Structures are given as C-alpha cells and as structure tokens.
Amino acid sequence: MNLAIVGTYPSTSLHYPLILISKGPLPSAENAPAVINIDNNILFSWADNTGTGTAKANDKVILIAYFPVLKQIIYSLQSATRADCQAVLETNKMHGYTAETWVGFLSCDENDAANSVYAGSVVIST
C-alpha cells in the first residue's frame, strides 16, 4: 500500500489503482471492469486467459470492494473461477456509497496468487 500513497505530508491520499491486494506469479486478470448489476451488486468480469503462463481454469477469483467513506471492505474468495469470466459480489445493502474495486486470482491449492487488478470505482445506486 505504501506505493499507492501520493502527495506530500500532510496532504497525502491513496491512489487506488496502485494498491495491490494480492501479489504473486500467476497471470493477472485481463480486461477486468466492475459494474453495478440490476440487483445493485457489483458484477466483475474478466477475459479467460487460461493457458497463459501458469493460469489455470480452476484458479479461484478474489473479489474486493472497499468503501472509503465507511472504511469497510466486502470480499469473496470463493465466488468463481478464472474460466467463469464473471462473478457477483453482494453489495446491495451499501446504497449510495462508492466502492473501489479489485479482482485477483489464487491457485486452486491456494499456494500461488496473481497481482490484483484495479477494476474501477462504482457507486451503489440508492
């Protein structure tokens, strides 16, 4: 997180796209935007890059939503696999709040991880 701190003290802030939630040798998510679905949950999607390097179809997806105003995180480690190409993180109770989002992967045996990817900022509708 120290690499994501920008500015000069005392006027520092976090630059969310630079934050790494997970880090490791697995290939990262590609084309991974987050959007709000019809149920006011966050829908993450990504391109299936199975077979690139050590990426496997059964790698587990890591979904993260951070709500800065609330200083609260919602996450999931078991929502989907790399081959699923999308997963939903239930955030529908966070009406009116902005979430900063990331997606990452863990190997099926959880011994390796991929560098997380910033998936954008989304606002949960009211």
Side-chain angles (χ1 to χ4, degrees), residues 12-41:
T12 58
S13 62
L14 289 175
H15 185 59
Y16 295 108
L18 296 178
I19 294 175
L20 280 178
I21 304 295
S22 61
K23 184 176 179 170
L26 290 178
S28 297
E30 295 177 358
N31 304 320
V35 297
I36 301 300
N37 70 10
I38 196 165
D39 298 321
N40 268 337
N41 293 312

Side-chain angles (χ1 to χ4, degrees), residues 31 43-49 80-87 105:
N31 304 320
L43 173 64
F44 291 82
S45 60
W46 56 89
D48 182 6
N49 57 356
T81 63
R82 186 183 296 267
D84 291 329
C85 297
Q86 68 177 14
F105 294 110

Side-chain angles (χ1 to χ4, degrees), residues 42 44 46 59-64 75-82 84 86-90:
I42 301 174
F44 291 82
W46 56 89
D59 289 340
K60 299 174 184 181
V61 70
I62 304 167
L63 306 176
I64 302 100
Y75 67 94
S76 172
L77 302 176
Q78 304 292 330
S79 300
T81 63
R82 186 183 296 267
D84 291 329
Q86 68 177 14
V88 172
L89 185 63
E90 290 190 28

Side-chain angles (χ1 to χ4, degrees), residues 53-104:
T54 56
K56 298 208 175 4
N58 64 350
D59 289 340
K60 299 174 184 181
V61 70
I62 304 167
L63 306 176
I64 302 100
Y66 172 62
F67 296 86
V69 170
L70 302 171
K71 296 184 173 143
Q72 182 176 343
I73 294 174
I74 297 175
Y75 67 94
S76 172
L77 302 176
Q78 304 292 330
S79 300
T81 63
R82 186 183 296 267
D84 291 329
C85 297
Q86 68 177 14
V88 172
L89 185 63
E90 290 190 28
T91 55
N92 58 2
K93 294 182 180 171
M94 307 304 280
H95 300 290
Y97 290 102
T98 298
E100 304 298 335
T101 63
W102 294 264
V103 61

